Amino acid sequence: MKYDPDQNGYYGEFGGAFIPDELQENISQLTERYIEILESPKFKQEFAYLLRNYAGRPSPLYHAPRLSEKYGARVYLKREDLNHTGSHKINNAIGQILLAREMGCTHIIAETGAGQHGVATATVCAKLGLKCTIYMGAVDVERQALNVARMKMLGATVEAVTTGGATLKDAVDVAFAYWVAHPEAYYLLGSAVGPHPFPDIVARLQSVISQEIRQQLLEQEGRELPDYVIACIGGGSNAAGAFYHFLEDESVHLVQVEAGGHGTQGNEHAASLSCGTKGILHGSRSLILFDDKGEVREPYSISAGLDYPGIGPLHAYLAQTGRSTVLVATDRQALDAAREVSQLEGIIPAIESAHALAALPQLKFRPDDIVVVNLSGRGDKDMPTYLREFGL
Ligand SMILES: *Cc1c(COP(=O)(O)O)cnc(C)c1O
């Protein structure tokens, strides 16, 4: 399709595979085989089985009546928060671990920020009996103690990374370095970032989200196409999944919501689409937050899952070509949106997902517009943040 990467892994001028020689062989094998494996009846059957019986899919598409009334449109929430382990991350973890197994890999390595991807990966590794090592910044290990405990309970090894700012970007750096030294391991990227073919693999595996939305809208509204699909973006995996089967339906407005932190006029944010410049990070060319010296800048967001200085190449392309609209939600706007959906619909969202909800007051709808917000995860992990911010 029109929005697939080209032969060299490019979406327009974004993407590619900037990788050290040590990884060339493994990545080109993966590039050669991934589509054939993902499209094989054996893979499709096992993936569908596990999504249904292990992850709990299809996730409901919930018509939110009180949010609808407030914003003057037909607002739906795609309930990825109801998946096993609490977010959309499990879709990708299941898919890539099946892919890794098919490629003959038995050791899975992954990075994690908030710990959600680490937990999803450790979960599926436990289920399928694979060795699992998770790299996590020491600051995040501290901040996300509960998720670290989950990973350990699931039998994974958690490596605390103390270099740099000791957060997500540093964890990715160290995980990449391990991979270069051990190319036989499978690096399970948690978002639609990294060298080709990872952004495409992640988008395809998460595309079950938009596949279900189409079906569910047909059942509930008598038409497959919404007017808006709104998703928050960290690296871009939940957005890629929610957009995928609508990319070529130009009537569907795709809205990407970035983490504005304390506001984009300063430096404390993670808005790489709005404020980034072209460059290379973690194996691909995209829009990245650099400082004056040309070093990758330490991003900031209240949400650990959106706190990344880059963005997937597909997303940079969608923004550049105008196929998507880019909005920014600050910490404050996300917190207000989190409280609002909690009290209007009885759903406490992940603070990441609250950024997507914060787009609602920023858009102008017509009364019969169908608006789908991808509720990427649940708020259990964010209760300490809500407790602190709201003085509960
Ligand atoms: C990880 C995470 C995100 C951000 O990652 P994407 O790859 O941009 O989707 C968003 N929401 C939740 C709940 C997450 O756990």
Side-chain angles (χ1 to χ4, degrees):
M1 77 167 172
K2 186 173 159 193
Y3 292 94
D4 281 337
D6 71 17
Q7 267 192 333
N8 299 315
Y10 279 88
Y11 306 83
E13 59 177 309
F14 301 113
F18 298 84
I19 47 175
D21 290 343
E22 292 90 332
L23 296 177
Q24 287 292 354
E25 172 64 24
N26 284 62
I27 291 193
S28 44
Q29 266 183 30
L30 186 64
T31 304
E32 247 165 63
R33 293 194 56 205
Y34 79 100
I35 292 183
E36 158 214 321
I37 293 174
L38 299 187
E39 295 294 324
S40 69
K42 177 179 174 227
F43 178 92
K44 280 184 158 173
Q45 200 177 11
E46 193 163 14
F47 187 43
Y49 178 87
L50 291 176
L51 287 180
R52 183 176 179 83
N53 297 297
Y54 191 68
R57 303 201 72 89
S59 67
L61 182 69
Y62 165 68
H63 176 243
R66 297 184 70 200
L67 270 185
S68 296
E69 194 183 326
K70 168 130 201 204
Y71 291 105
R74 300 187 59 76
V75 178
Y76 283 83
L77 303 178
K78 180 60 173 163
R79 301 289 310 274
E80 293 301 297
D81 59 315
L82 294 178
N83 294 334
H84 183 39
T85 71
S87 79
H88 66 291
K89 297 250 169 40
I90 192 84
N91 307 326
N92 174 53
I94 293 174
Q96 282 203 64
I97 289 172
L98 293 178
L99 176 62
R101 211 180 51 180
E102 206 59 33
M103 299 290 298
C105 303
T106 55
H107 181 198
I108 305 291
I109 60 172
E111 85 296 334
T112 196
Q116 294 302 101
H117 173 53
V119 169
T121 302
T123 296
V124 185
C125 283
K127 194 205 135 27
L128 294 176
L130 298 176
K131 185 178 163 194
C132 178
T133 310
I134 305 292
Y135 293 85
M136 191 169 182
V139 170
D140 292 331
V141 167
E142 198 77 9
R143 284 195 290 206
Q144 306 288 338
L146 217 53
N147 274 342
V148 175
R150 285 193 183 103
M151 290 181 253
K152 290 183 175 167
M153 178 102 180
L154 291 159
T157 304
V158 179
E159 297 281 355
V161 173
T162 53
T163 47
T167 59
L168 179 58
K169 178 193 152 290
D170 313 289
V172 179
D173 289 340
V174 174
F176 253 97
Y178 178 90
W179 193 25
V180 169
H182 304 85
E184 73 287 353
Y186 184 94
Y187 187 178
L188 204 168
L189 271 154
S191 193
V193 297
H196 178 67
F198 286 101
D200 192 36
I201 290 174
V202 174
R204 284 169 185 261
L205 294 173
Q206 292 289 3
S207 74
V208 64
I209 299 173
S210 46
Q211 189 185 326
E212 287 175 7
I213 294 173
R214 285 186 82 112
Q215 245 165 17
Q216 291 166 321
L217 277 181
L218 188 61
E219 284 158 22
Q220 296 180 51
E221 288 281 353
R223 61 167 158 125
E224 280 182 57
L225 298 184
D227 297 285
Y228 292 84
V229 181
I230 304 172
C232 66
I233 49 168
S237 70
N238 87 88
F243 295 168
Y244 196 86
H245 290 286
F246 299 114
L247 286 170
E248 294 190 328
D249 298 300
E250 305 273 339
S251 70
V252 182
H253 298 279
L254 306 176
V255 182
Q256 317 197 59
V257 189
E258 305 200 276
H262 293 142
T264 48
Q265 59 295 352
N267 279 337
E268 292 184 319
H269 60 76
S272 33
L273 288 177
S274 304
C275 306
T277 46
K278 292 168 196 170
I280 293 164
L281 176 66
H282 299 142
S284 70
R285 188 161 195 274
S286 191
L287 292 170
I288 294 150
L289 296 172
F290 291 108
D291 63 17
D292 304 339
K293 297 189 207 86
E295 309 263 358
V296 176
R297 195 159 83 201
E298 195 61 40
Y300 165 80
S301 166
I302 192 170
S303 135
L306 304 183
D307 199 353
Y308 184 67
I311 177 66
L314 168 64
H315 303 68
Y317 180 64
L318 294 176
Q320 187 191 47
T321 56
R323 178 65 192 93
S324 77
T325 305
V326 177
L327 296 178
V328 173
T330 61
D331 287 2
R332 189 71 256 156
Q333 289 169 313
L335 286 165
D336 290 345
R339 182 152 57 183
E340 182 176 80
V341 74
S342 297
Q343 298 187 359
L344 287 183
E345 299 292 346
I347 296 169
I348 301 177
I351 185 70
E352 291 84 5
S353 320
H355 286 72
L357 290 159
L360 292 172
Q362 299 187 44
L363 293 162
K364 272 256 162 295
F365 303 117
R366 288 166 309 180
D368 58 353
D369 277 346
I370 296 175
V371 179
V372 177
V373 182
N374 197 36
L375 205 76
S376 53
R378 68 176 84 126
D380 306 26
K381 69 179 178 59
D382 299 307
M383 287 317 296
T385 303
Y386 294 150
L387 205 127
R388 183 187 72 226
E389 295 292 330
F390 296 129
L392 303 170

